[in-house]
């Protein structure tokens, strides 16, 4: 058994980190917050060219032919960079919705409850749905995740797009998706896992931000990171992120639905709680619009509602637990 | 990233499983927790069986009498023995998991020949005399003194919280050999025979009512200088070796056990109707996810250790922080499943709940582990 990333996997992750640092560094992040342009079409195409969306499509279909573990490492980096846009839905749509694989189409999904849809105004298609419905804009808590409320699809989105599309009821993309390598019945599980990977990246990133600030900011004549109260916040952040990391990686390897649910649960908690603790470490600065911390927290809140909520994950795990016990 | 076991590892698992299937039914009845001589005999008897079957000191180096197994094989061993319900390492804990490995790594040839085989054969029990009444988290401030007198050290002082002291033959003892040196520099690591004149053991009652550990009073105890492992005043470094073993794989079997307990909790809750409470049900579901992740973290750490040559890494502190907390949550959930029944000490889970309270204290408190993670992994500055 060798449960560590291979050299190729490490290289892949490093390559994506480098690409994102170059194309979506802090200035680009803040620019999208300021302008409200959340999906940059040019960048979307570049991501497509780099194989971000076609990563798991077979090479015969023009994809990169890699697997979920690789996808998880790539999404971890996107989470770290706070890259906006319906990344997960477009990735799942590769090979199903024309243009998704290449990054020429932006595809969203009914992955949120309560009739809310993210990035509807930016989207060319909705995963598993016949068209792009109309919706009324909702003021979003996350400046980088525009939201719409869609009434005509509210009932379907409430129980998740994946379930809707899995039984074929919402299949409007007659394009040979049936023999796609990404079986649609597992959209929901895969969506949850990739979202968990985004959360993981964010959770790891906020540890770094907190540790860096704690080493620089001085009070009482020493760096605040020398104070135990601060040290312990940081240590717990790392513990959460590391436990979530192994859960996410293992779920990517096994693809076991219960393990995926556990990974989503732990990664959601790590991202949300780490962002909070990071904010605390930053003190008053943490409460400002200018610090990036709130962007991590708000996005973590959004993702926690996507594909699989904590309540759903816990119920699924409970069912699995009971099954394993008999 | 891979979670499949190699053919060799699968073979190893299959052979071990077959052996356990034969060995376990032959075990004597488990003694009651208060029966110390009985527990000692039981634990040593199991060690002897392991020895005869070639499973003793699996992870020890071959030249120390071990099997030189890879960390993954050791992991499989711990997983399978726990899954089969084999006895826990028990009284052999200190000898097998840290005193032994420390002697194997730092001891002379004579010391290895003297102390290692009896640990593996199940002839001798060790205990750990590190903590003192005034030196707990701040272990290096220990005061028990050892004064050289010819070929002996004369040791005077006291130790506390010494697990298994009542039945131990040997004690890995930290003593101050140079009171004038800075506190980390004047310490030595000694192997002290527990039957030496001047050693008094007084059992301490734990909050669970048991006598897991004891106080130890040392009154001019003569310990041969030849029993010192490592150089004089170099004991702190040797201690760090010991502690890295202590935190390395000590909890593997327990994670497996906790996962099994969780399954039993679910079944009990289903039977007594509490499973219908969504709050409790979801809580158990979350714990199932957490213990699943902790098992994966174990595999992750073991894979990392294998890559870096078998040394247990600092990841042990990350694991211990998460695990000790999850274990306490588990038994709190058990109490909820039992309801008022959890107030009875006849419930095994109630005793486990009480003992889980030690996990955030023993082997370095959570606060100390957090300092270690913050300073040594995250690189935050030391406080003044
Ligand atoms: C079940 C059990 C078995 C044990 N077995 C053994 C054994 O076999 N051999 C042995 O030598 N020892 C043993 N111990 C002792 C154990 O290692 C110590 O209890 C532990 O290291 C804590 O020391 P202490 O009890 O003196 O607590 P203290 O060090 O007095 O700590 C008290 C509180 O203060 C906190 N604290 C202390 N220093 C700091 C700091 N720098 N920063 C933040 N918080 C701090 C602690 O976290 C804790 O909450 C055992 C303990 C238990 C509970």
């Amino acid at each position: 058994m060798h449960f560590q990333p291979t050299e190729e996997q490490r290289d892949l992750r490093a390559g994506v980190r480098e690409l994102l640092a170059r194309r979506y560094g802090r200035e680009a992040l803040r620019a999208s917050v300021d302008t409200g342009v959340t999906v940059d079409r040019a960048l979307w195409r570049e991501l497509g060219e780099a194989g971000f969306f076609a990563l798991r499509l077979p090479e015969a279909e023009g994809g990169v032919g890699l697997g979920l573990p690789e996808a998880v490492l790539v999404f971890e980096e996107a989470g770290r960079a706070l890259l906006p846009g319906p990344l997960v839905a477009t990735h799942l749509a590769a090979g199903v919705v024309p243009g998704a694989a290449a990054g020429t189409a932006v595809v969203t999904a009914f992955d949120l409850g309560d009739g809310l849809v993210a990035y509807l105004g930016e989207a060319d298609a909705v995963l598993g749905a016949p068209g792009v419905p109309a919706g009324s804009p909702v003021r979003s808590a996350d400046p980088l995740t525009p939201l719409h409320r869609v009434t005509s699809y509210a009932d379907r989105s409430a129980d998740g797009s994946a379930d809707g599309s899995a039984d074929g009821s919402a299949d409007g993309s007659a394009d040979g998706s049936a023999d796609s390598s990404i079986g649609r019945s597992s959209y929901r599980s895969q969506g949850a896992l990739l979202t968990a990977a985004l959360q993981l990246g964010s959770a790891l990133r906020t540890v770094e931000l907190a540790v860096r600030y704690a080493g620089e900011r001085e009070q009482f004549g020493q760096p605040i990171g020398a104070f135990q109260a601060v040290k312990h916040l940081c240590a717990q952040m790392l513990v959460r992120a590391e436990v979530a990391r192994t859960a996410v990686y293992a779920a990517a390897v096994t693809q076991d639905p219960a393990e995926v649910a556990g990974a989503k649960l732990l990664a959601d908690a790590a991202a949300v709680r780490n962002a909070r603790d990071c904010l605390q470490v930053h003190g008053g600065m943490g409460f400002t619009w200018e610090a990036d911390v709130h962007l991590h927290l708000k996005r973590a809140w959004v993702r926690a509602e996507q594909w699989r909520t904590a309540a759903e994950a816990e119920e699924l795990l409970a069912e699995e637990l009971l099954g394993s016990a008999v | 990233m891979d979670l499949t076991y190699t053919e060799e590892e699968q073979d190893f698992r299959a052979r071990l499983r077959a052996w356990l299937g034969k060995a376990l039914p032959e075990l004597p009845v488990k003694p009651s927790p208060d029966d110390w001589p009985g527990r000692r005999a039981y634990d040593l008897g199991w060690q002897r069986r392991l020895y005869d079957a070639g499973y003793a000191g699996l992870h020890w180096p071959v030249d120390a009498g071990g099997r030189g197994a890879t960390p993954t094989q050791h992991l499989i061993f711990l997983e399978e023995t726990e899954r089969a319900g084999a006895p826990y390492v028990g009284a052999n804990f200190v000898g097998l998991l840290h005193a032994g490995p420390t002697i194997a790594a730092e001891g002379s040839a004579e010391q290895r020949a003297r102390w290692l085989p009896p640990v593996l054969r199940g002839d001798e029990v060790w205990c750990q005399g590190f903590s003192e009444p005034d030196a707990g988290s701040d272990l290096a401030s220990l005061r028990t003194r050892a004064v050289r007198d010819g070929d002996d050290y004369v040791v005077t002082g006291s130790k506390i919280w010494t697990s298994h002291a009542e039945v131990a033959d040997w004690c890995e003892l930290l003593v101050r050999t140079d009171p004038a040196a800075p506190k980390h520099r004047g310490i030595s690591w000694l192997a002290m025979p527990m039957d030496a004149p001047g050693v008094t053991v007084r059992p301490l009652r734990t909050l669970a009512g048991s006598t897991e550990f004891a106080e130890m009073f040392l009154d001019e105890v003569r310990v041969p200088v030849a029993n010192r492992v490592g150089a004089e005043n170099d004991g702190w470094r040797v201690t760090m070796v010991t502690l890295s073993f202590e935190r390395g794989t000590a909890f593997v079997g327990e994670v497996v056990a906790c996962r099994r307990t969780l399954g039993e909790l679910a079944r009990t809750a289903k039977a007594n109707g509490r499973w219908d409470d969504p709050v409790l049900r979801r809580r158990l579901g979350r714990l199932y996810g957490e213990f699943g992740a902790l098992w994966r973290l174990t595999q992750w750490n073991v894979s990392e250790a294998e890559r870096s040559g078998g040394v247990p890494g600092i990841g042990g502190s990350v694991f211990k922080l998460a695990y000790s907390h999850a274990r306490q949550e588990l038994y709190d959930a058990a109490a909820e499943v039992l309801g008022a029944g959890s107030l009875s000490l006849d419930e095994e889970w109630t005793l486990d709940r009480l003992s889980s309270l030690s996990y955030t204290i023993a082997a370095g408190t959570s606060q100390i582990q957090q300092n270690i993670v913050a300073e040594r992994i995250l690189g935050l500055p030391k406080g003044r």
Side-chain angles (χ1 to χ4, degrees), chain A:
Chain A
M1 181 199 57
H2 196 69
F3 184 34
Q4 289 279 312
T6 63
E7 197 127 329
E8 292 78 33
Q9 287 169 337
R10 283 169 202 265
D11 289 348
L12 173 68
R13 180 165 57 187
V16 176
R17 184 175 299 190
E18 197 267 326
L19 167 81
L20 289 176
R22 188 163 33 80
R23 271 306 266 113
Y24 201 73
R26 175 142 205 280
E27 273 177 35
L29 169 69
R30 296 309 304 208
S32 44
V33 173
D34 292 343
T35 60
V37 178
T38 52
V39 179
D40 168 357
R41 290 281 178 160
L43 174 57
W44 208 253
R45 272 194 304 278
E46 261 182 75
L47 290 172
E49 279 158 26
F52 195 96
F53 302 117
L55 195 76
R56 292 187 300 137
L57 266 193
E59 284 175 73
E61 291 171 41
V64 188
L66 292 173
L68 260 184
E70 285 78 17
V72 151
L73 293 174
V74 167
F75 273 71
E76 176 185 324
E77 290 306 316
R80 175 187 290 270
L82 267 179
L83 189 65
L87 296 160
V88 171
T90 304
H91 177 98
L92 292 175
V96 178
V97 175
T104 51
V106 174
V107 185
T108 189
F110 298 128
D111 54 9
L112 283 168
D114 294 333
L116 291 177
V117 187
Y119 304 107
L120 191 72
E122 285 75 9
D124 303 309
V126 181
L127 185 67
V132 179
S136 44
V138 171
R139 271 163 28 93
S140 174
D142 176 17
L144 293 174
T145 310
L147 294 174
H148 283 76
R149 177 161 276 122
V150 180
T151 41
S152 55
Y153 287 84
D155 50 345
R156 184 169 296 143
S157 57
D159 67 336
S161 71
D163 291 343
S165 58
D167 59 31
S169 63
D171 183 17
S173 49
D175 54 8
S177 57
D179 48 76
S180 155
S181 65
I182 304 169
R184 281 179 300 123
S185 61
S186 55
Y187 275 164
R188 190 175 162 100
S189 197
Q190 291 180 11
L193 179 63
L194 294 171
T195 306
L198 292 168
Q199 296 284 53
L200 168 64
S202 176
L204 287 163
R205 178 69 184 142
T206 47
V207 183
E208 286 173 11
L209 292 175
V211 167
R212 192 172 71 199
Y213 192 77
E216 285 168 359
R217 169 74 172 166
E218 292 197 4
Q219 288 293 289
F220 301 98
Q222 59 180 334
I224 57 168
F227 298 115
Q228 250 184 13
V230 174
K231 235 175 233 179
H232 289 190
L233 280 175
C234 294
Q236 284 303 338
M237 290 171 73
L238 183 78
V239 170
R240 269 180 226 130
E242 287 295 324
V243 175
R245 183 210 293 270
T246 41
V248 170
Y249 290 0
V253 173
T254 64
Q255 301 187 34
D256 172 71
E259 194 149 20
V260 169
K264 178 69 165 47
L265 189 63
L266 293 173
D268 284 346
V272 170
R273 294 175 63 190
N274 276 13
R276 273 178 196 270
D277 285 353
C278 183
L279 198 149
Q280 183 68 20
V281 168
H282 279 74
M285 179 56 80
F287 194 67
T288 66
W289 187 264
E290 188 193 328
D292 295 341
V293 189
H294 70 107
L295 300 176
H296 279 281
L297 178 59
K298 291 164 177 173
R299 192 80 62 84
W301 282 342
V302 172
R303 292 178 186 136
E305 297 294 332
Q306 281 176 315
W307 297 104
R308 186 152 340 261
T309 63
E312 289 162 350
E314 285 168 353
E315 287 288 3
L316 189 147
L317 283 160
E319 203 173 303
E320 180 81 10
L321 168 63
L322 193 62
S324 76
V326 283

Side-chain angles (χ1 to χ4, degrees), chain A residues 1-6 9-10 69 73 207 211 214-215 221-223 225-226 228 231-232 234-236 238-239 242-243 245-247 249-250 253-254 259 262 265-266 269 310-311 314-315 317-322 324-326, chain B residues 1-6 9 72 75 262-264 266-267 270 275 278 281-282 284-286 288-290 292-294 296-297 299-304 306-307 318 321-322 367 370-371 373-375 377-378 380-384:
Chain A
M1 181 199 57
H2 196 69
F3 184 34
Q4 289 279 312
T6 63
Q9 287 169 337
R10 283 169 202 265
L73 293 174
V207 183
V211 167
Q222 59 180 334
Q228 250 184 13
K231 235 175 233 179
H232 289 190
C234 294
Q236 284 303 338
L238 183 78
V239 170
E242 287 295 324
V243 175
R245 183 210 293 270
T246 41
Y249 290 0
V253 173
T254 64
E259 194 149 20
L265 189 63
L266 293 173
E314 285 168 353
E315 287 288 3
L317 283 160
E319 203 173 303
E320 180 81 10
L321 168 63
L322 193 62
S324 76
V326 283
Chain B
M1 287 189 285
D2 195 359
L3 283 164
T4 51
Y5 291 91
T6 65
E9 288 161 353
T72 301
L75 177 87
L262 208 48
E264 288 164 16
R267 236 178 310 162
K270 185 76 185 168
W275 187 254
R281 190 173 63 228
R282 284 181 49 186
L284 293 175
R286 173 174 285 266
Y288 187 56
E290 278 178 28
L294 286 170
R296 296 309 190 191
L297 183 57
Q299 291 176 313
W300 176 266
N301 286 342
V302 163
S303 293
E304 197 164 49
E306 203 146 284
R307 173 177 282 190
V318 171
L321 279 167
Q367 286 67 39
Q370 289 178 110
N371 287 350
V373 168
E375 288 166 14
I377 301 182
L378 297 177
L380 284 169
K382 279 194 182 289
R384 278 178 214 151

Side-chain angles (χ1 to χ4, degrees), chain A residues 228 232, chain B residues 93-94 98 127-139 159-165 172 174 206 212-214 243 246-247 355 357-371:
Chain A
Q228 250 184 13
H232 289 190
Chain B
F93 183 85
V94 172
H98 45 98
C127 65
Q128 181 190 42
F130 283 13
S131 305
E132 295 183 7
D134 291 327
S137 300
D138 186 12
L139 182 57
K159 294 286 171 178
I160 197 164
W161 322 127
T162 317
S163 305
H164 298 111
E172 50 170 2
L174 291 186
T206 72
E212 275 314 309
F213 46 34
L243 294 182
E246 183 169 5
R247 288 173 200 145
S355 83
L357 298 171
S358 74
Y359 279 72
T360 43
I361 298 169
T365 68
S366 291
Q367 286 67 39
I368 296 300
Q369 300 296 338
Q370 289 178 110
N371 287 350

